[in-house]
Amino acid sequence: MLIEPQGQSLTAIQELERSTGEKITDCYQCGKCTAGCPASMDPPPSVLIRKLQLGMFDEVVSEQSIWSCMACLTCSERCPKGVSPAAIIEGLKLIHLRDMDPQVQAEELGQEFLAQSTQQAVVSGFRKFI
Ligand code: SF4
Ligand code: SF4
């Protein structure tokens, strides 16, 4: 039975799919991603995806286990349906961080700090934290 998320949860899941390029409903719950995951995640990637299929976006985006993911891509390599759990989890992390109050104000960093910092590190950091 296909359970369709509704309301705010549907909007959030559509945004997650748009930003990651992944299709949550493509997952047929074979569990190969979870079987190969070295991170002992609880809940593991296949369960996170199943919860998203059931529309439980708020619960999934707040799961501590997404922070245990090391982005090793083993799950994405193993998926017979071409789903990338690693990309979905990274998308969840980004949404979680962007929903927080900004931890860093760009104007407070100062010219000296910026001059000594690697440009790519600053840009990628701000993509996540602001
Ligand atoms: S990318 Fe994350 S979820 Fe996927 S196998 Fe690696 S640690 Fe596990
Ligand atoms: S390997 Fe792919 S199809 Fe199987 S449970 Fe994981 S994401 Fe779903």
Side-chain angles (χ1 to χ4, degrees):
M1 182 174 68
L2 183 63
I3 300 174
E4 295 283 356
Q6 295 180 341
Q8 280 189 327
S9 189
L10 174 60
T11 306
I13 290 168
Q14 285 174 333
E15 171 56 22
L16 178 64
E17 290 186 323
R18 187 203 60 75
S19 63
T20 60
E22 299 297 320
K23 190 98 178 83
I24 305 290
T25 50
D26 281 353
C27 167
Y28 62 178
Q29 288 293 294
C30 67
K32 284 192 72 172
C33 52
T34 291
C37 177
S40 302
M41 292 168 58
D42 181 23
S46 57
V47 175
L48 293 173
I49 293 174
R50 183 59 181 150
K51 287 184 170 183
L52 289 172
Q53 290 175 337
L54 295 173
M56 301 163 72
F57 180 83
D58 289 346
E59 184 176 322
V60 174
V61 81
S62 302
E63 288 284 7
Q64 282 300 311
S65 88
I66 66 175
W67 303 102
S68 302
C69 171
M70 303 175 286
C72 68
L73 301 179
T74 303
C75 51
S76 308
E77 285 293 317
R78 289 172 65 97
C79 179
K81 290 285 286 178
V83 178
S84 175
I88 292 168
I89 292 168
E90 181 66 12
L92 288 164
K93 289 178 183 175
L94 284 171
I95 291 170
H96 183 99
L97 290 169
R98 285 174 178 165
D99 281 351
M100 294 166 60
D101 288 335
Q103 303 293 304
V104 181
Q105 300 294 337
E107 58 273 16
E108 291 175 4
L109 290 177
Q111 290 302 315
E112 189 179 347
F113 172 84
L114 292 173
Q116 292 173 355
S117 304
T118 309
Q119 189 177 14
Q120 288 90 338
V122 174
V123 170
S124 64
F126 274 88
R127 282 201 181 121
K128 284 196 172 174
F129 289 104
I130 291 188

